[in-house]
Amino acid sequence: METREKIVIIGGGFAGLQLAKKLNNKNKKIIIIDKVNHHMFQPLFYQVASGRIEPSNISFPFRKIFQNSRNIRYRMTEVLKILPEENKIITSTDATEFSYDKLIIATGCKTNFFGNDKMETLTFGMKNTQEAIAIRNHVLLTFEKLIIERKRSDDGNWNIVIVGSGPTGVELAGAFAEMKKDILPRDYPHMNFDDLKIILISSTEKPLSVMSPESQKMSEKYLKELGVHFMSDEFVTGYDGDKVMMKSGKEIPSNNVIWAAGVTGNVIAGLNPEIMVRNRYKTDRFSKVLGYKNIFAIGDISYMETPKYPQGHPQVANVAINQGKNLAKNLLKKSEKDWVEYEYEDRGSMATIGKHKAVVDLPKFRFQGTFAWYFWMFLHLMLILSVRNKLAIFFNWMWSYFNKDSSLRLIIIPTKKNRTEQ
């Protein structure tokens, strides 16, 4: 064991997990370090936030994934600093050190609040399981508050504001709109939800600005059919906990604001800041961080310029997955002379806005509507790692499909208890 090359992977997202799986039971000593104990299937976070599926359905404990592995170990801690001259990293667990022969940074990204600390404190991001659960808890608690306060409740409780019209924002808006239409009237039969508004604020003219014009047009149409208030060409400048302020001078009262307007890299201290590009580590075509012979970066945290993508690859799951696979193949070769450069082959993009409402852009053709919705469901179901979780999600989706309902609207709030009282 000691004679094998030691590879430390920081982060168990799409990139880090794919790399580890390809190196599983190979002649390498692998340590995965992550501050949470599970891999998270981020494309379905919005369904956790809207009470459609349980977090356990899209969360996969690392120790379960690799429980039969002979060469992979997992450690739950946060990496605070990289010491490249010593081939070590420092973690938050009593400043514990880990040495490495090769270091792979796969820390992904987090919600970008563009330096607005108040916005970060008062709004909800949705980049991890905890944040998705927090959104679900907060929104459901709002409804419970409404039924008690009735007419005394302020306008802010009746507005759910989502900032950002990318796939996350669009899918979340559609999910809440369907909840308003199909679920809330049954849960709260004596309440009138006509005043409940789902508001999607976009800095662009159309939603899903990175997709085709056809998909943008249809997604806007679907949102309006669901009753979502779509505000285009608006820039949010502030939020004080009671109202959202915009550059145009408009204000929206809301106690429920979800921020889905951008991401930024989870950077670790210790490397040369000059190799950073837009808060991502600049790498060569082999994912090697510039200026370092044994440090690599893959996934959302990596900035790699290629002929097809001179401004770097998009921060999407397919890039992360395939960078992980490509690096694993290279690391298993006997000589770096045989390494293969990475290039992303765009397989398309998609988003779902509600039942029978989805848009799909593939490299050679595009389609929208019911077939696109089934295509989206099938593809995401196949991408889930665990067979058990595939069955659980399939059952939940089928139940919701036929009953327009879900039984997963649990409000789970941890309570603090003094150890002396236990």
Side-chain angles (χ1 to χ4, degrees), residues 160-172:
I160 298 177
V161 176
I162 302 163
V163 184
S165 62
T168 298
V170 166
E171 290 175 344
L172 198 55

Side-chain angles (χ1 to χ4, degrees), residues 409-421:
R409 293 180 297 283
L410 304 178
I411 300 174
I412 303 173
I413 301 176
T415 57
K416 294 182 180 180
K417 187 175 182 181
N418 193 308
R419 288 188 178 185
T420 59
E421 298 175 357

Side-chain angles (χ1 to χ4, degrees), residues 17 41 43 97 125 154 237 253 255 270 283 291 296 327 346 349:
L17 183 62
F41 191 77
E97 297 181 354
D154 63 86
T237 57
N255 303 323
T283 72
F296 302 78
L327 179 57
D346 187 3
S349 55

